[in-house]
């Protein structure tokens, strides 16, 4: 089972539709921003550059502290006693196999940027380091990779881990929509979150995501055009770039139609395999021993210096240090935060059924290992060539970053094959960014979306087309730089939302802790009275069919629930008994719900669940005999993994009261 069967017994759900407030609001804001950057390119670029400098100078210290806090909080949750809490109900299994999940993390969170910056950024740190180092010195060579790792390492993935686990927790654990607004419920309450505040947060998320995807596609199209020029001699022109955008958007639309389980999954697996093969090829074709030695030292230097670099704001290096910090570290922190709504929502979407510990360590360390290998092998290879006389490679990396990787390939055997592979990988990365972005935008702009569903196909296609049109418009107007600045500046207010996410997550985890304490309250085992041991043995070795369990629900469980409901009503409590039947009239589930106003309601579900019989009990080879049915108990947090079939009515009554007593103890501990 992947979700509670009792979910269908909720009150009538909201009809799935477009959230007009979010959809229209985000469209207006995005169109105005794009029109502004296109109509007034010089003015907008100057203003945004000034704003970025103001953010860096005034809030650089804040960014350094808050980004560190995100990573520390995420690691704390993963290592804490709450780490075994499921992102979903307790009985759920992971939605995707581990390697598939890792591949989708890799594609969503890194994407085309690996190809764009893989050789170029380490070379830039070697040739133009911060003011405390001499360019092209041995120290600059050694510092280049740890500095690159800082910008692409634990800090950025800590941001993604925080937002991803928070959104997944409230969606799959608390049964809220998978939307940015849901995680703010513990702080602002359900009324505001469902109203203007929630619409504002989701609108802001759509705008940030749309701007981020458009600029990412801008980077991607430059990278793709550079590769096609290098491999096939196609011109580096807006015409070629326009064709690339159109083809990628069409492919992304086709992938989005198939959903995460097929399109995004298969493309991500392809990315992971081909990128790994390219990385191994560069390692084996180059100075392998040197690269392995450098990789080991780079990783060691990173972990030795990561704490110092985390809080290094270049306070004693004057204007040069402030400028370097502004256009490198602070830029990257703001960029990661601005991308957090998109990547966080996508990672949450693919992580149902994993524990918090699996999630945190998977998100923070699986991509980190690949980043270490990729930047170290590509970066050290490029630095080694430049240090030994290939000065043109360094000039290309600084002046034409998209061409940096292809210029590096020219120094290897089979350079044309490597370049062709780079083009294919880049295009597939390009497509996965577009289709996963369209999925997130469609989900954010929907209303009535359940936590385990996606927006309709037509809405995903709309957003895929919209991002393509925006990218085309910016391509011809030259507005990518300005739009990138908008995204980075938007990271400042969203960083405050992430602080609220930490507060909301911590508050909810403490409630989970209280619930565990409450469940430890010692109550008598309803079947352990010693008087009916033969009946107990009989229920242990019996494997009833569906009709037998349905009769048990009708004759025993329903009667017990009705008596409890009646008694609670006389005590003035608001109760609801919901019966779910199938077409043949038999029960498929019963739910007793006791309302507690603004506090958590008590829910006791008994659901018909099909299970496989143990092999040693099979006395016949018929298909029907391979299964039996259980009357399984579900609470708010999911299945309790025990079966009521064989209980007397009195024993069912005692079990309901036991669970209700634990719930009341949980409410007491939360006060």
């Amino acid at each position: 089972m992947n979700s509670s069967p009792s979910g269908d017994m909720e009150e009538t759900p909201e009809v799935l539709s477009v959230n007009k407030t979010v959809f229209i609001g985000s469209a207006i804001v995005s169109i105005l921003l794009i029109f502004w950057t296109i109509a007034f390119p010089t003015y907008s670029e100057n203003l945004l550059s000034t704003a970025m400098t103001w953010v860096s100078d005034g809030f650089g210290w804040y960014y350094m502290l808050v980004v560190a806090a995100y990573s520390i909080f995420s690691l704390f949750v993963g290592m804490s006693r709450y780490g075994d809490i499921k992102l979903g109900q307790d009985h759920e299994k992971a939605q995707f196999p581990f390697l598939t999940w890792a591949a989708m993390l890799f594609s969503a969170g890194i994407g085309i940027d690996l190809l764009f910056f893989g050789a170029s950024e380490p070379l830039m740190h070697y040739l133009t380091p911060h003011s405390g180092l001499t360019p092209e010195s041995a120290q600059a060579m050694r510092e280049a990779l740890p500095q690159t790792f800082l910008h692409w390492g634990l800090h950025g993935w800590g941001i993604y881990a925080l937002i991803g686990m928070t959104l997944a927790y409230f969606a799959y654990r608390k049964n809220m929509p998978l939307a940015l607004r849901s995680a703010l419920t513990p702080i602002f309450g359900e009324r505001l979150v469902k109203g203007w505040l929630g619409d504002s947060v989701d609108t802001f998320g759509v705008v940030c995501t749309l701007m981020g995807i458009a600029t990412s596609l801008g980077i991607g199209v430059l990278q793709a055009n550079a590769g096609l020029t290098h491999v096939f001699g196609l011109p580096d022109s807006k015409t070629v770039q326009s064709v690339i955008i159109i083809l990628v958007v069409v492919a992304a639309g086709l992938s989005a139609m198939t959903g995460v389980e097929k399109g995004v999954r298969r493309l991500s697996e392809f990315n992971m395999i081909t990128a790994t093969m390219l990385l191994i090829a560069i390692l084996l074709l180059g100075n392998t021993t040197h690269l392995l030695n450098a990789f080991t030292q780079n990783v060691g230097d990173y972990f030795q210096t990561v704490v110092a670099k985390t809080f290094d704001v270049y306070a004693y290096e004057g204007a040069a240090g402030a400028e370097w910090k502004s256009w490198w570290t602070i830029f990257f922190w703001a960029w990661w935060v601005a991308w957090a709504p998109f990547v966080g929502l996508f990672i949450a979407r693919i992580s149902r059924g994993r524990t918090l510990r699996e999630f945190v360590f998977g998100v923070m360390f699986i991509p980190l290992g690949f980043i270490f290998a990729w930047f170290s092998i590509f970066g050290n290879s490029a630095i080694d060539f430049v240090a030994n006389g290939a000065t043109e490679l360094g000039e290309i990396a600084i002046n034409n970053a998209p061409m940096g990787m292809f210029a590096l390939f020219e120094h290897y055997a089979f350079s044309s094959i490597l370049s062709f592979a780079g083009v294919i990988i880049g295009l597939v990365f390009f497509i996965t960014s577009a289709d996963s972005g369209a999925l997130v935008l469609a989900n954010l702009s929907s209303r009535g979306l359940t936590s385990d569903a996606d927006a309709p196909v037509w809405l995903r296609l709309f957003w895929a087309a919209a991002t393509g049109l925006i990218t085309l418009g910016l391509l011809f107007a030259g507005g990518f730089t300005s739009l990138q600045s908008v995204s980075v500046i938007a990271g400042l207010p969203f960083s405050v939302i992430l602080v609220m996410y930490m507060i909301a997550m911590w508050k909810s985890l403490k409630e989970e802790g209280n619930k565990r304490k409450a469940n430890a309250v010692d109550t008598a085992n309803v079947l352990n009275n010693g008087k009916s041991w033969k009946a107990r043995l009989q229920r242990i070795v019996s494997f009833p069919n569906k009709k037998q369990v349905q009769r048990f629900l009708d004759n025993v469980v329903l009667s017990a629930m009705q008596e409890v409901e009646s008694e609670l009503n006389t005590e003035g409590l608001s109760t609801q008994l919901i019966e779910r039947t199938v077409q043949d009239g038999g029960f498929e589930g019963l739910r007793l719900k006791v309302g507690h106003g603004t506090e958590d309601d008590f829910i006791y579900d008994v659901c018909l669940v099909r299970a496989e019989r143990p092999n040693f009990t099979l006395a016949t080879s018929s298909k029907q005999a391979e299964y039996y049915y259980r009357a399984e108990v579900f609470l708010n947090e999911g299945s309790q993994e025990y079966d009521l079939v064989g209980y007397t009515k009195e024993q069912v009554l005692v079990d309901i009261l036991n669970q209700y007593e634990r719930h009341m103890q949980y409410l007491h501990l939360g006060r």
Side-chain angles (χ1 to χ4, degrees), residues 2 86 92-98 350-354 358:
N2 292 322
K86 283 281 187 75
E92 291 189 53
K93 305 298 182 184
Q95 184 179 8
F96 294 101
F98 183 80
I350 63 174
S351 299
R352 183 166 193 153
R354 299 201 175 273
E358 280 181 292

Side-chain angles (χ1 to χ4, degrees), residues 28 62 115 123 164 166 189 215 222 319 330 343 349 470 545 549 570 650:
I28 291 173
Y62 163 77
L115 306 180
L123 272 175
T166 305
T215 51
L222 295 176
I330 300 302
V343 180
R349 170 65 181 81
I470 290 170
N545 59 36
V549 178
T570 63
E650 289 71 23

Side-chain angles (χ1 to χ4, degrees), residues 513-529:
N514 289 338
K515 184 170 290 188
R516 289 183 173 189
K517 289 180 182 178
N519 287 341
V521 173
D522 189 21
T523 53
N525 189 324
V526 296
L527 294 177
N528 197 27
N529 54 27

Side-chain angles (χ1 to χ4, degrees), residues 174-291:
K174 300 294 186 181
N175 295 314
M176 297 181 184
L178 182 58
L180 298 175
R181 69 176 70 200
S182 297
L184 299 176
T185 303
I187 298 176
F188 296 103
E190 189 173 345
R191 186 177 63 84
L192 278 177
V193 167
K194 285 189 173 181
W196 68 268
L197 178 64
D199 286 339
S200 300
V201 171
D202 282 349
T203 299
F204 183 68
V206 170
V207 173
C208 282
T209 298
L210 192 58
M211 301 300 103
I213 293 172
T215 51
S216 179
L217 294 184
I219 291 173
V221 74
L222 295 176
Q223 181 76 40
N225 198 169
L228 293 172
T229 299
H230 187 77
V231 176
F232 300 109
L234 294 178
D236 187 354
S237 67
K238 287 184 169 56
T239 301
V240 173
Q241 292 164 9
S242 299
V243 173
I244 293 171
I245 291 171
I246 292 169
L247 292 176
V248 165
V249 168
V250 170
L254 294 173
S255 176
M257 290 174 64
T258 63
V260 175
E261 290 76 9
K262 294 182 180 178
V264 177
R265 172 179 179 171
R266 299 308 178 196
L267 288 174
S268 298
E269 290 171 342
F270 176 83
N271 276 342
M272 187 74 153
I273 293 169
T274 52
T276 301
M277 291 172 64
L278 180 61
L279 184 66
I280 293 172
I282 296 299
L283 174 64
L284 297 179
L285 291 172
N287 188 345
T288 306
T289 302
H290 167 69
L291 292 176

Side-chain angles (χ1 to χ4, degrees), residues 414-633:
F414 313 109
S415 60
S416 58
I417 296 175
L418 295 175
S419 296
F420 180 75
V423 170
I424 298 300
I425 295 169
L427 288 173
V428 178
F429 269 133
F430 203 173
I431 295 169
T432 53
S433 294
D435 66 358
S436 55
L439 176 71
V440 168
L441 288 167
N443 286 357
L444 274 177
S445 54
S446 296
R447 186 190 300 277
L449 195 67
T450 60
S451 61
D452 57 352
D454 289 321
V457 170
W458 72 265
L459 192 55
R460 288 178 250 166
L461 293 176
F462 169 83
W463 282 115
T467 53
L469 290 173
I470 290 170
T471 307
L472 278 172
L474 292 170
L475 173 67
F476 284 95
F480 285 117
T481 302
S482 295
L483 206 59
Q484 189 176 44
S485 299
V486 170
S487 297
V488 172
I489 293 167
L492 183 61
F494 196 76
S495 70
V496 179
I497 295 176
L498 290 180
V499 172
M500 295 180 188
Y501 278 15
M502 286 195 294
I503 296 170
M505 192 68 182
W506 179 242
K507 184 177 180 181
S508 295
L509 289 176
K510 286 182 67 178
E511 290 179 355
E512 286 266 352
N514 289 338
K515 184 170 290 188
R516 289 183 173 189
K517 289 180 182 178
N519 287 341
V521 173
D522 189 21
T523 53
N525 189 324
V526 296
L527 294 177
N528 197 27
N529 54 27
K531 296 180 179 179
S532 55
W533 68 269
K534 290 184 179 180
R536 184 176 179 184
L537 178 62
Q538 178 61 35
R539 70 177 298 276
I540 291 173
V541 298
S542 66
F543 299 94
N545 59 36
K546 185 175 182 180
K547 292 292 184 183
Q548 290 171 322
V549 178
Q550 287 177 329
R551 284 197 297 271
F552 171 76
L553 292 175
D554 189 11
N555 298 331
V556 179
V557 179
L558 178 61
S559 177
M561 284 188 172
Q562 287 172 336
E563 290 193 19
V564 174
E565 179 192 28
S566 176
E567 190 64 26
L568 289 172
N569 284 336
T570 63
E571 297 294 332
L573 293 170
S574 172
T575 63
Q576 187 178 17
L577 180 55
I578 304 171
E579 304 172 10
R580 188 177 72 173
T581 58
V582 290
Q583 290 183 349
D584 60 8
F587 281 120
E588 194 172 40
L590 298 167
R591 163 179 286 188
L592 177 64
K593 179 177 179 180
V594 184
H596 290 95
T598 59
E599 298 184 276
D600 289 352
D601 295 335
F602 171 69
I603 293 177
Y604 184 93
D605 282 340
V606 183
C607 302
L608 185 72
V609 175
R610 192 178 79 162
E612 292 186 8
R613 288 184 58 161
N615 289 335
F616 70 88
T617 68
L618 295 177
T620 172
S621 61
S622 69
K623 183 75 173 176
Q624 185 68 25
E626 294 179 10
Y627 300 97
Y628 75 104
Y629 286 80
R630 296 160 55 89
E632 203 161 292
V633 175

Side-chain angles (χ1 to χ4, degrees), residues 129-187:
H130 64 80
S131 57
L133 296 174
T134 303
E136 301 185 58
S137 64
Q139 188 62 26
M141 184 182 294
R142 180 171 180 175
E143 286 278 340
L145 270 301
Q147 189 67 51
T148 303
F149 290 169
L150 178 74
H151 296 155
W152 296 89
L154 284 173
H155 295 78
W157 290 96
I159 296 171
Y160 289 169
L162 169 63
I163 186 171
M165 73 176 174
T166 305
L167 295 174
Y169 177 85
F170 284 96
Y172 306 137
R173 190 75 175 173
K174 300 294 186 181
N175 295 314
M176 297 181 184
L178 182 58
L180 298 175
R181 69 176 70 200
S182 297
L184 299 176
T185 303
I187 298 176

